[in-house]
Amino acid sequence: MASSIKDPREEVLQAWYMDDSEEDQRLPHHKEPKQFVSLEQLAELGVLSWRLDADNHETDPELKKIREERGYTYMDVCEVCPEKLPNYEEKIKSFFEEHLHTDEEIRFCAAGSGYFDVRDRNDAWIRVWVKKGGMIILPAGIYHRFTLDESNYIKALRFFVGEPIWTPYNRPHDHLPAREEYIKAFVENDVAKQTVDAAA
């Protein structure tokens, strides 16, 4: 009976493969038929997720524990919407350019919602919908992008180890050590594993 217990994260995080349509980036862009991706499959790509208490994030013991374990010493709040973000149109365009970072990207959705798109091992786009209470960590070196959904609003807490580094490296930046390390840890590693499984 345990299998019917739903992972509480699924209420605030969902993922699926995207279609190739050029329509408004804020639409869900589901494939036909829909092709969902589990949170376990995301974890295999290095993308980690939690469900936390968005209304009490200042005192949430689980968030405190994650920050301590992962060494997140810096935090700020970013509200993305036309009214609150200076140069909104320009910023949204730049967030949606495919890029990578040399550090983890940590986002906790305190209100609203948005899409983080990540590449799978075969370079296909997976759209990750993060809603209020969802926290996502994208590993250093993964190609990704961000956009709002049709609600046009997200309030996100951003965490860093030490000083915040905002630098996005737009694709292609395959020569960066962070990218090479990501490939080694999450792409080649799995290819090797599949080969062993096939041989077994």
Side-chain angles (χ1 to χ4, degrees):
M1 300 297 101
S3 61
S4 66
I5 296 172
K6 204 165 171 260
D7 184 330
R9 293 178 301 167
E10 289 172 9
E11 288 174 23
V12 294
L13 294 142
Q14 283 175 334
W16 55 82
Y17 276 102
M18 292 183 73
D19 65 19
D20 299 324
S21 146
E22 294 294 314
E23 272 188 291
D24 186 344
Q25 67 194 45
R26 296 166 311 144
L27 294 171
H29 286 280
H30 276 288
K31 279 183 174 294
E32 233 5 277
K34 291 178 179 176
Q35 204 178 333
F36 287 96
V37 175
S38 72
L39 298 176
E40 285 66 37
Q41 287 169 290
L42 286 181
E44 286 167 14
L45 297 171
V47 178
L48 305 178
S49 56
W50 287 264
R51 181 188 181 154
L52 301 168
D53 184 350
D55 294 322
N56 300 295
H57 59 82
E58 294 91 346
T59 55
D60 183 0
E62 195 176 351
L63 179 56
K64 184 171 182 275
K65 185 169 162 250
I66 294 164
R67 288 188 68 173
E68 283 168 3
E69 283 173 359
R70 301 183 76 87
Y72 302 148
T73 49
Y74 177 95
M75 183 201 98
D76 73 1
V77 178
C78 177
E79 284 188 279
V80 182
C81 62
E83 302 76 28
K84 299 265 175 92
L85 189 67
N87 307 324
Y88 169 79
E89 291 295 339
E90 198 181 296
K91 287 264 174 59
I92 273 288
K93 271 202 186 74
S94 75
F95 295 161
F96 201 62
E97 283 282 319
E98 184 175 358
H99 62 278
L100 61 79
H101 301 289
T102 54
D103 290 296
E104 289 181 337
E105 176 166 315
I106 306 103
R107 298 290 181 268
F108 174 32
C109 179
S113 49
Y115 295 127
F116 291 86
D117 300 337
V118 297
R119 292 283 192 185
D120 78 355
R121 291 187 184 91
N122 301 314
D123 233 24
W125 279 117
I126 295 173
R127 173 149 278 190
V128 186
W129 194 17
V130 182
K131 295 179 265 188
K132 179 181 174 179
M135 180 157 120
I136 189 172
I137 296 181
L138 306 180
I142 192 172
Y143 281 120
H144 65 284
R145 61 191 183 188
F146 170 79
T147 184
L148 289 172
D149 58 21
E150 291 169 278
S151 71
N152 268 343
Y153 177 75
I154 192 170
K155 178 181 182 180
L157 275 54
R158 306 184 287 191
F159 298 93
F160 294 87
V161 175
E163 286 300 300
I165 298 167
W166 306 114
T167 317
Y169 295 93
N170 287 352
R171 189 167 189 173
H173 261 88
D174 294 347
H175 63 283
L176 288 178
R179 178 64 185 166
E180 289 169 0
E181 283 161 29
Y182 176 79
I183 295 281
K184 231 183 243 130
F186 295 105
V187 181
E188 287 170 2
N189 197 359
D190 190 70
V191 171
K193 193 174 116 226
Q194 284 172 358
T195 313
V196 171
D197 289 350

